[in-house]
Amino acid sequence: MATQGQVITCKAAVAWEPNKPLVIEDVQVAPPQAGEVRIKILFTALCHTDAYTWGGKDPEGLFPCILGHEAAGIVESVGEGVTEVQPGDHVIPCYQAECRECKFCKSGKTNLCGKVRGATGVGVMMNDKKSRFSINGKPLYHFMGTSTFSQYTVVHDVSVAKIDPQAPLDKVCLLGCGVPTGLGAVWNTAKVEPGSIVAIFGLGTVGLAVAEGAKAAGASRVIGIDIDNKKFDTAKKFGVTEFINPKDHDKPIQQVIVDLTDGGVDYSFECIGNVSVMRAALECCHKGWGTSVIVGVAASGQEISTRPFQLVTGRVWKGTAFGGFKSRSQVPWLVEKYMKKEIKVDEYITHSMSLGEINEAFHLMHEGGCLRCVLKMYD
Ligand SMILES: NC(=O)C1=CN([C@@H]2O[C@H](COP(=O)(O)OP(=O)(O)OC[C@H]3O[C@@H](n4cnc5c(N)ncnc54)[C@H](O)[C@@H]3O)[C@@H](O)[C@H]2O)C=CC1
Ligand SMILES: N[C@@H](CCC(=O)N[C@@H](CSC=O)C(=O)NCC(=O)O)C(=O)O
Ligand SMILES: [Zn+2]
Ligand SMILES: [Zn+2]
């Protein structure tokens, strides 16, 4: 049955309130307006940022909403003026847009895009500042401009990457967030050189992707730091060469690392979202040049601090969003790298479940054994 131009009723996991179980509901998804694309989502993974917003820690969190931002699907229909994708195209929704026209996109200095960020930050679409999701007329907010915990979603055309139709969607959905973030933090943001000493705080998917990126960049030592000893065996497979558990030491972790590395590391990455660890990650960097990249997302109200002397003496503090990758241009390139077996993806998938099991999937995420759980949207 043709669905173009029609409202589609489908299943979605609705976050009615922070921290309350998600509810699988029949939601109405309006047709795409000008510059919009309606996507049939086939697979979505869970990212810790979904849990963070659901947990009420996101100052931009709005409820009720449909969370989810690491997914893959097929274009169902497009609105007026959409030229770069058409129904049937295989796509990855991109929470970080790329319009190629705005001040940010044209700067050549950042992957951030300003075109739709104002709307996505308040859970609506640009055109009419309204949501395309509703239940019996009651609107639900969009999330990160993607809302992939729904069998159908509507996104801005600047937030869609068209990918190789041969790519397995149950795998490459991961290229919508965590894996590119870690790889890009190393390759684009830090620009790690061969021979560098690297420290990674937090060995979840993002930290492991940092390790993979650091190994590919030719780092000589990749020091993984995690409070969970079970992480080390997995981490070795992604390129971590040494493991430190801060709980095994009396000294502050930054001092432990400085002592082990003749004055500090060349690059460090915080992949947890803990502001005390962010400080340690900066302070374990080598005087004169060490660079620390903040990747983790910290809760509302949290702030970072250090002695300014740390920066006066040459350490550099940076952050990264989506690993600095330009989404529409570079996600297809990452998919090709995966297809050529140049980057890992399958190895990050520890669990597969169905949309109806989403609450259990979030539960699993908080256990050490889960990296990424991929949800199948249709049984
Ligand atoms: N900047 C960006 O564009 C993105 C940021 N993120 C953020 O990156 C962070 C990491 O994401 P995931 O890898 O998926 O999370 P995760 O929860 O799987 O991994 C975090 C790891 O940190 C470890 N850990 C927790 N507290 C620790 C401590 N005090 N010291 C050392 N290790 C500790 C945990 O044992 C776990 O292994 C999250 O904050 C997420 O929101 C995720 C994607 C994109
Ligand atoms: N909404 C939060 C900030 C959340 C955040 O930092 N998001 C990251 C991506 S995390 C993906 O899993 C990001 O890319 N931020 C840049 C952006 O434009 O949102 C808050 O307000 O603190
Ligand atoms: Zn994410
Ligand atoms: Zn732009």
Side-chain angles (χ1 to χ4, degrees), residues 15-22 48-63 65 67 143 297-302 362 366:
W16 287 103
E17 288 178 66
N19 283 313
K20 293 276 161 62
L22 303 182
H48 279 78
T49 308
D50 299 308
Y52 150 92
T53 302
W54 182 27
K57 296 179 185 157
D58 182 354
E60 290 186 307
L62 293 165
F63 297 85
C65 72
L67 298 164
F143 170 67
V297 174
S300 178
Q302 297 286 300
F362 269 109
H366 300 297

Side-chain angles (χ1 to χ4, degrees), residues 32-36 78-83 127 157:
Q33 296 188 6
E36 299 174 2
V78 300
E80 193 189 317
V82 174
T83 54
N127 239 5
D157 59 353

Side-chain angles (χ1 to χ4, degrees), residues 47-49 95 177 181 202-207 225-228 231 246 271-274 277 295-297 320-322 372:
C47 169
H48 279 78
T49 308
Y95 71 82
C177 185
T181 297
L203 299 173
T205 294
V206 175
I225 301 108
D226 204 294
I227 49 174
D228 179 358
K231 297 282 173 172
C271 307
I272 302 162
N274 177 320
V277 179
V295 191
V297 174
T320 192
F322 197 51
R372 279 301 193 254

Side-chain angles (χ1 to χ4, degrees), residues 152-165:
Y152 284 85
T153 189
V154 177
V155 305
H156 299 99
D157 59 353
V158 292
S159 308
V160 188
K162 180 175 161 177
I163 60 162
D164 178 353

Side-chain angles (χ1 to χ4, degrees), residues 309-331:
F309 188 64
Q310 293 284 336
L311 305 185
V312 166
T313 50
R315 292 168 197 84
V316 177
W317 223 344
K318 288 185 165 188
T320 192
F322 197 51
F325 280 117
K326 292 225 173 219
S327 60
R328 280 204 294 159
S329 306
Q330 291 186 285
V331 167

Side-chain angles (χ1 to χ4, degrees), residues 282-347:
L282 176 79
E283 295 180 358
C284 78
C285 285
H286 203 287
K287 183 176 175 178
W289 63 78
T291 296
S292 186
V293 181
I294 293 177
V295 191
V297 174
S300 178
Q302 297 286 300
E303 294 185 347
I304 48 171
S305 62
T306 191
R307 284 186 67 214
F309 188 64
Q310 293 284 336
L311 305 185
V312 166
T313 50
R315 292 168 197 84
V316 177
W317 223 344
K318 288 185 165 188
T320 192
F322 197 51
F325 280 117
K326 292 225 173 219
S327 60
R328 280 204 294 159
S329 306
Q330 291 186 285
V331 167
W333 172 78
L334 285 164
V335 170
E336 288 316 308
K337 278 184 92 62
Y338 164 69
M339 298 292 278
K340 289 190 263 173
K341 300 193 189 317
E342 291 173 6
I343 59 169
K344 298 184 200 299
V345 172
D346 303 18
E347 292 81 349

